[in-house]
Amino acid sequence: MKIENVRVYDLEESIKASKYPMSVDTDKCNSDITDMVKKLAQSPKGEAHDQFLSGIRVAFDLTCSNKMWVELERYRFITFVSSQSTMHRISKFDLSKQYNQYVDPRIIDVMEELKDTYNQTHDPYDYLKLLYSNPAGFELTARLTTNYRCLKGVYSQRRNHKLPEWRSLCKWIETLPYGEGLIVGSEG
């Protein structure tokens, strides 16, 4: 798994906005991380006190396996901006570079054979054999956008996951600006 090109937007503005509900003069609100801001950020799911975390947006490129992509798609507030396409490019990839270390080299050899066969025949059946034989350890890159509130849910649910990719993503979440205080909280 690899994470690159990370951008965090509206961090100070959203922290300032977290203070609006208890303010009579919003001009006096600042972007300091106070104990109250941390308490709001660490409130339980469903209470909506952590809503201001939705305003802290994060964009990044993530390279991970098909297995992780399938699980990542369950998070409603992680948006795919653009991604590499298995459907359009599987017959063009250097497959030896696309698989993670858990894919058996014998399977990679079979995939290379299937790719070569399709590239020679261009038969739709050969293409489907190639596509549907592709193992879960196939890695692709996508540009994603999300927010701190969604990442709080990801962290809570995936920090001890069996897949090492999820644990790596959670370690990265901890490194985001104020990740420890706003996202991880007492769970870290």
Side-chain angles (χ1 to χ4, degrees):
M1 188 196 78
K2 181 171 60 172
I3 299 170
E4 299 177 303
N5 303 318
V6 178
R7 303 286 184 275
V8 177
Y9 302 97
D10 297 330
L11 178 66
E12 286 97 15
E13 296 82 357
S14 295
I15 292 168
K16 178 183 176 187
S18 75
K19 299 172 183 176
Y20 288 176
M22 302 307 286
S23 176
V24 291
D25 185 356
T26 58
D27 290 335
K28 293 183 180 176
C29 295
N30 59 39
S31 62
D32 294 343
I33 302 283
T34 62
D35 288 341
M36 181 54 73
V37 171
K38 289 179 186 177
K39 185 177 178 184
L40 292 171
Q42 296 168 20
S43 66
K45 272 178 90 172
E47 288 188 1
H49 296 303
D50 63 353
Q51 183 62 34
F52 77 97
L53 295 174
S54 298
I56 306 171
R57 297 171 294 120
V58 184
F60 58 100
D61 293 344
L62 176 64
T63 302
C64 65
S65 70
N66 278 345
K67 178 64 180 144
M68 187 176 178
W69 285 127
V70 169
E71 294 178 7
L72 186 77
E73 289 173 347
R74 74 181 297 239
Y75 293 98
R76 185 171 164 215
F77 295 104
I78 294 180
T79 302
F80 285 72
V81 174
S82 186
S83 66
Q84 289 182 297
S85 174
T86 307
M87 186 66 72
H88 295 297
R89 305 312 290 171
I90 193 161
S91 66
K92 306 295 183 211
F93 281 114
D94 178 351
L95 296 178
S96 66
K97 295 178 181 175
Q98 291 304 122
Y99 296 111
N100 65 24
Q101 70 266 27
Y102 304 109
V103 177
D104 188 307
R106 296 170 299 173
I107 295 172
I108 297 171
D109 290 342
V110 168
M111 290 302 298
E112 289 286 358
E113 287 176 27
L114 291 171
K115 182 181 92 169
D116 291 345
T117 298
Y118 170 71
N119 283 332
Q120 289 172 5
T121 68
H122 296 285
D123 184 296
Y125 179 80
D126 290 336
Y127 169 77
L128 292 175
K129 276 182 73 174
L130 171 63
L131 185 66
Y132 284 116
S133 296
N134 199 28
F138 188 72
E139 294 186 330
L140 296 172
T141 300
R143 181 74 177 169
L144 305 173
T145 61
T146 189
N147 61 61
Y148 272 32
R149 193 173 190 206
C150 182
L151 291 175
K152 177 182 167 184
V154 169
Y155 188 87
S156 174
Q157 295 167 11
R158 304 289 176 152
R159 71 183 185 281
N160 296 315
H161 198 274
K162 285 183 180 182
L163 287 183
E165 292 165 298
W166 280 116
R167 293 190 307 273
S168 294
L169 183 72
C170 288
K171 287 287 183 197
W172 168 76
I173 289 171
E174 292 172 2
T175 70
L176 289 169
Y178 303 110
E180 287 283 340
L182 300 180
I183 300 171
V184 176
S186 61
E187 296 192 48

